[in-house]
């Protein structure tokens, strides 16, 4: 069994799930902390670390680096995982969490070409970068996610496959969402749950596409929203509570002036102020249904 001085590697051939079961923290508590964790798929192989319902009293702890790549997976079922290292790299791999917690508040988590699925439990991180450089997605169906600072962007063309999807649960983004799209495909989608965030900024990058922002249901609470130089927010339901909403048309990098738009098709928008700035391009607010309190 490993101990805190050793690294764990799951990288050999043949499909497998290496499990930490409920008996492990009881009978072998010293093996619940390791130095580094490396999981990689081999030829026609998917390697999985299975956190199998061992609870959260004695979490599995990685004190150093974590690297998942090429068809690696972590499955967390009602178990605790603490990632203490400064670098957590997830490339072409998946994390699936149903219950328990995953805590990574000492360093940054980078997802590239990867998916994070949370149906229940807690995920807390200081920094999460999605889509650097390959599109990745955080999919939340329940539970609680708190990310102090989230980076959203992609350098490789995708189709609405990079960003955040919220279907249920609680999402907290105290650092806000700064969405600058280097290529088409960066999006935020919400059809349920609650998102408490700070400032939200949407703008195209040089030579890139417009980020997509859709609210179909649930509650979105934010401080200040800026839509700048072309993007559109579509609200088709739910409730959006904002301090200020600024819709600014703009000519980005000397290009043709582009309209910025907020479409209220259904649901409720409640904002202290709404600013439509068309000095350098159209700033548009369309209401076809729903309720707007300004």
């Amino acid at each position: 069994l490993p101990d805190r001085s050793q690294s764990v590697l799951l990288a050999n051939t043949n499909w497998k799930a290496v499990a930490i079961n409920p008996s492990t923290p009881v009978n072998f508590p010293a093996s619940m902390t390791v130095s580094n964790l490396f999981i990689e798929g081999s030829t026609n192989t998917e390697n999985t670390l299975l956190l199998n319902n061992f609870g959260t009293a004695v979490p599995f702890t990685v004190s150093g680096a974590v690297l998942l790549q090429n068809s690696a997976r972590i499955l967390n079922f009602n178990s605790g995982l603490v990632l203490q290292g400064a670098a957590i790299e997830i490339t072409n791999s998946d994390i699936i969490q149903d219950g328990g917690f995953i805590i990574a508040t000492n360093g940054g988590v980078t997802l590239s070409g990867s998916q994070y699925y949370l149906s229940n439990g807690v995920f807390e991180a200081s920094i999460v970068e999605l889509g650097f450089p390959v599109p990745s997605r955080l999919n939340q169906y329940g539970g609680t996610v708190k990310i102090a600072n989230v980076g959203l962007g992609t350098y490789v063309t995708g189709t609405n496959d990079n960003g955040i999807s919220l279907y249920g649960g609680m999402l907290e983004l105290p650092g806000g969402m700064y969405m600058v799209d280097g290529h088409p495909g960066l999006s935020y989608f919400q059809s349920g749950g609650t998102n408490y965030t700070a400032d939200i900024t949407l703008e195209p990058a040089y030579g890139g596409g417009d980020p997509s922002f859709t609210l179909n249901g649930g509650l979105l609470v934010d401080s200040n929203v800026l839509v700048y130089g072309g993007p559109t927010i579509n609200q088709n339901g739910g409730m959006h509570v904002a301090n200020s909403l600024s819709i600014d048309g703009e000519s980005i990098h000397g290009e043709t002036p582009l309209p910025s738009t907020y479409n209220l098709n259904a649901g409720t928008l409640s904002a202290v102020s709404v600013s439509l700035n068309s000095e350098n391009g159209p700033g548009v607010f369309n209401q076809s249904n729903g309720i707007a309190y300004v």
Side-chain angles (χ1 to χ4, degrees):
L1 292 174
D3 59 33
R4 65 177 60 248
S5 68
Q6 295 176 316
S7 298
V8 171
L9 289 82
L10 309 178
N12 53 340
T13 58
N14 297 323
W15 285 54
K16 71 187 71 66
V18 177
I20 301 177
N21 292 312
S23 60
T24 307
V26 175
N27 298 325
F28 308 100
S31 71
M32 294 296 289
T33 299
V34 299
S35 177
N36 303 294
L37 176 64
F38 175 59
I39 308 174
E40 180 181 24
S42 186
T43 303
N44 298 320
T45 295
E46 185 176 81
N47 283 321
T48 299
L49 174 63
L50 172 60
L51 310 181
N52 191 25
N53 292 286
F54 61 77
T56 58
V58 182
F60 180 56
T61 300
V62 183
S63 60
V66 175
L67 176 62
L68 278 65
Q69 64 184 18
N70 301 333
S71 297
R73 292 198 307 170
I74 291 179
L75 301 183
N76 182 1
F77 298 138
N78 300 306
S79 302
L81 174 61
V82 178
L83 307 177
Q84 297 179 331
I88 302 163
E89 301 285 341
I90 304 167
T91 303
N92 300 323
S93 302
D94 294 332
I95 294 179
I96 300 171
Q97 181 180 354
D98 184 8
F101 62 74
I102 296 179
I103 306 295
T105 54
N106 289 342
V109 180
T110 300
L111 282 86
S112 178
S114 302
Q115 302 280 326
Y116 193 121
Y117 299 94
L118 176 72
S119 57
N120 200 358
V122 174
F123 171 53
E124 186 172 349
S126 57
I127 300 172
V128 173
E129 294 186 340
L130 289 164
F132 296 95
V134 182
S136 302
R137 198 154 200 91
L138 170 64
N139 305 281
Q140 183 178 357
Y141 301 90
T144 300
V145 173
K146 184 174 182 180
I147 303 173
N149 293 284
V150 61
L152 297 165
T154 178
Y155 303 132
V156 179
T157 301
T159 306
N160 292 330
D161 55 1
N162 189 75
I164 298 173
S165 294
L166 177 61
Y167 302 96
M170 178 75 70
L171 174 63
E172 298 182 54
L173 302 172
M177 288 190 291
Y178 184 56
M179 300 177 64
V180 178
D181 201 359
H183 289 280
L186 175 59
S187 67
Y188 173 82
F189 176 83
Q190 181 177 353
S191 64
T194 300
N195 179 0
Y196 288 105
T197 187
D199 295 345
I200 298 175
T201 300
L202 282 75
E203 68 174 88
Y206 179 74
D210 293 332
S212 170
F213 197 103
T214 303
L215 176 62
N216 284 349
L219 173 63
L220 171 64
V221 179
D222 47 55
S223 298
N224 304 296
V225 180
L226 172 62
V227 185
Y228 183 81
T232 297
I233 293 180
N234 289 301
Q235 183 176 354
N236 305 312
M239 186 168 188
H240 181 190
V241 180
N243 180 41
S244 70
L245 173 62
S246 299
I247 312 297
D248 293 2
E250 186 58 67
S251 175
I252 301 295
H253 309 294
E255 298 175 356
T256 302
L258 299 171
S260 297
T261 308
Y262 193 108
N263 292 322
L264 178 60
N265 302 315
T268 300
L269 168 66
S270 177
V272 176
S273 66
V274 173
S275 169
L276 303 178
N277 183 357
S278 296
E279 181 178 357
N280 297 310
V284 182
F285 182 90
N286 294 319
Q287 182 177 0
S288 60
N289 211 324
I291 300 170
Y293 296 103
V294 181

